[in-house]
Amino acid sequence: MTEPPDPGTDVALYVHWPYCARICPYCDFNVVRDRGRTDEQAALTAAILSDIQAQSALTGPRRLASIFFGGGTPSLMAPEAVAAIIDRARALFPPRGDIEITLEANPTDAEAARFQALAAAGVNRLSMGVQALDDAALAFLGRNHSADEARRAVAVAATAFPRLSIDLIYALPGQSVADWTAELTRALDMGFEHVSPYQLTIESTTAFGRAVARGAWTPPDQDLAADLYEATQHALAAAGFDAYEVSNHARGIAARSAHNLHVWRGGDYIGVGPGAHGRLTLNGTRTASVAHRAIGSYLAGVEAAAPWSEHTPLSAQDAAEERVLLGLRTVEGVAVSVLEDVATPGATASLIADGLLEHINGHIRTTATGRPLLDGVLKALLV
Ligand SMILES: C[S@@+](CC[C@H](N)C(=O)[O-])C[C@H]1O[C@@H](n2cnc3c(N)ncnc32)[C@H](O)[C@@H]1O
Ligand code: SF4
């Protein structure tokens, strides 16, 4: 039988693969266009392996909780590279049993053709960026696949991986609640255990940020965005998905993302790859690391035995605030003892009285009403 992971000591691994076939106009992740530089990609794989090794020297013996390949587009990675990273992580941090290994994928035919090989490398959960099931919306989002292509990729993924999640983006300009609900309902017919619907965020440094700034188009106003959020919650609840985090819905507890839950519970994780963040408890102190963002600097950093700027100690106050920030995103909430250390006196009681927070088993969590208002709740709690 598999021993349950221990969020207190087990360590998760986040691997950042920055290459994308095309850069989407809304995306501000640490990404670069994939120009087929196989030498650079081989060097990056080798650097990621060295980085994992170097960080294992810092942590000492630990158990592996989960692995998450994010990006960028890790479905463009050579399956051998994925296998080598999984093998190295397992060897350095022996897991307690079967662990969740997720990889983010774009739904193109070319990538679907490699799903079997990625599964053979050890990936057992695919998180696919479907984004929309409407060709006009996909074109607006600058995606390099059609809705039919995404459906085909979902069908292939369902045969290759035991677990499948999809990402969708809503609150596009001109999108009505009826349009979005119909699209979401069509998506739910495709069959998967987990869905992450994200409201389109306009980041100032992106092509969309510049377009909105010059008035080329306007995103939905706050009221419409709130109605779209409500409609999303209703449609997903009706289809049997629990909203276990602000933007994450799962068909049952076993379908929740173990990796993300580990992070939201304040568990330790190693971050490797350009720009990856990590959180490690070293000698009893919680530390934060961030790797160099540019691929060249990351490679040079590994060479010089310093792929990350450093593992900076977090003050007890900062560490507790982070726990609150993450915990309140989820249905599990945050332990009362952690919240008490950082909350403004009286704020918790007044947010409970307003119906935005609730008490449950020694934890405080956001209510269904409070979760979409999280920014305001945090402001009231943490000033
Ligand atoms: C880091 S991306 C990687 C996924 C994969 N490369 C893809 O695009 O399919 C993870 C997810 O973040 C979401 N995302 C990225 N930028 C966003 C934005 N500005 N607004 C809303 N969602 C966004 C998308 O749904 C995307 O699938
Ligand atoms: S959304 Fe995905 S494919 Fe598009 S640029 Fe961001 S990481 Fe790359």
Side-chain angles (χ1 to χ4, degrees):
M1 209 181 107
T2 302
E3 247 179 282
D6 178 350
T9 58
D10 291 3
V11 71
L13 174 66
Y14 174 77
V15 181
H16 189 79
W17 193 254
Y19 302 98
C20 293
R22 195 201 277 186
I23 305 300
C24 305
Y26 53 85
C27 184
D28 83 334
F29 285 78
N30 189 30
V31 292
V32 294
R33 179 91 186 275
D34 186 347
R35 295 178 198 281
R37 293 186 183 134
T38 45
D39 288 356
E40 184 185 82
Q41 297 191 8
L44 182 56
T45 303
I48 284 172
L49 291 170
S50 303
D51 193 354
I52 299 171
Q53 187 94 35
Q55 298 204 52
S56 75
L58 292 176
T59 61
R62 302 273 191 110
R63 300 292 205 160
L64 188 60
S66 55
I67 305 179
F68 194 101
F69 290 89
T73 310
S75 49
L76 295 173
M77 285 175 82
E80 304 75 50
V82 173
I85 292 169
I86 293 173
D87 292 349
R88 181 69 60 93
R90 283 177 172 284
L92 291 168
F93 303 102
R96 295 176 194 276
D98 290 341
I99 54 162
E100 178 185 285
I101 303 181
T102 305
L103 181 135
E104 286 183 337
N106 283 34
T108 70
D109 288 334
E111 286 162 79
R114 307 160 71 215
F115 287 171
Q116 285 294 351
L118 290 166
V123 175
N124 52 29
R125 181 173 182 272
L126 202 73
S127 170
M128 197 184 288
V130 169
Q131 319 305 5
L133 281 179
D134 171 89
D135 284 337
L138 287 167
F140 173 76
L141 290 169
R143 300 292 292 180
N144 62 347
H145 55 86
S146 65
D148 275 347
E149 201 172 350
R151 278 196 197 88
R152 282 198 296 278
V154 166
V156 177
T159 64
F161 301 98
R163 301 180 60 194
L164 177 62
S165 174
I166 70 161
D167 291 349
L168 294 169
I169 299 184
Y170 68 95
L172 306 187
Q175 190 173 43
S176 69
V177 171
D179 292 343
W180 163 239
T181 312
E183 191 177 343
L184 179 58
T185 310
R186 277 203 309 281
L188 295 177
D189 289 341
M190 294 194 305
F192 40 78
E193 62 166 29
H194 188 281
V195 54
S196 306
Y198 296 111
Q199 180 172 329
L200 176 65
T201 311
I202 308 299
E203 308 285 357
S204 58
T205 54
T206 62
F208 273 8
R210 292 185 289 277
V212 170
R214 68 170 182 270
W217 49 269
T218 321
D221 62 29
Q222 268 192 352
D223 286 349
L224 178 52
D227 290 348
L228 288 162
Y229 175 88
E230 276 296 305
T232 308
Q233 306 301 308
H234 281 128
L236 290 174
F241 285 86
D242 316 319
Y244 71 104
E245 194 262 356
V246 178
S247 305
N248 284 279
H249 303 247
R251 264 195 176 122
I253 289 189
R256 294 179 179 179
S257 160
H259 179 87
N260 287 337
L261 281 173
H262 177 85
V263 171
W264 294 325
R265 285 174 185 149
D268 276 11
Y269 58 99
I270 288 176
V272 294
H277 287 257
R279 289 286 183 278
L280 289 176
T281 308
L282 302 174
N283 304 318
T285 302
R286 182 115 164 127
T287 66
S289 68
V290 52
H292 299 299
R293 275 176 72 84
I295 295 171
S297 314
Y298 180 75
L299 295 176
V302 171
E303 190 103 325
W308 351 275
S309 35
E310 60 195 349
H311 286 80
T312 316
L314 292 175
S315 68
Q317 168 90 9
D318 286 350
E321 283 195 7
E322 190 167 87
R323 289 284 290 276
V324 171
L325 227 102
L326 295 174
L328 290 184
R329 296 184 64 88
T330 73
V331 284
E332 293 181 357
V334 61
V336 173
S337 53
V338 174
L339 187 61
E340 270 171 356
D341 281 348
V342 286
T344 310
T348 310
S350 102
L351 289 163
I352 290 176
D354 291 344
L356 301 175
L357 292 181
E358 64 188 352
H359 235 125
I360 177 138
N361 302 331
H363 280 61
I364 297 285
R365 69 176 185 186
T366 41
T367 59
T369 318
R371 218 163 298 139
L373 306 174
L374 187 58
D375 286 350
V377 168
L378 289 169
K379 220 175 251 171
L381 269 179
L382 297 178
V383 187

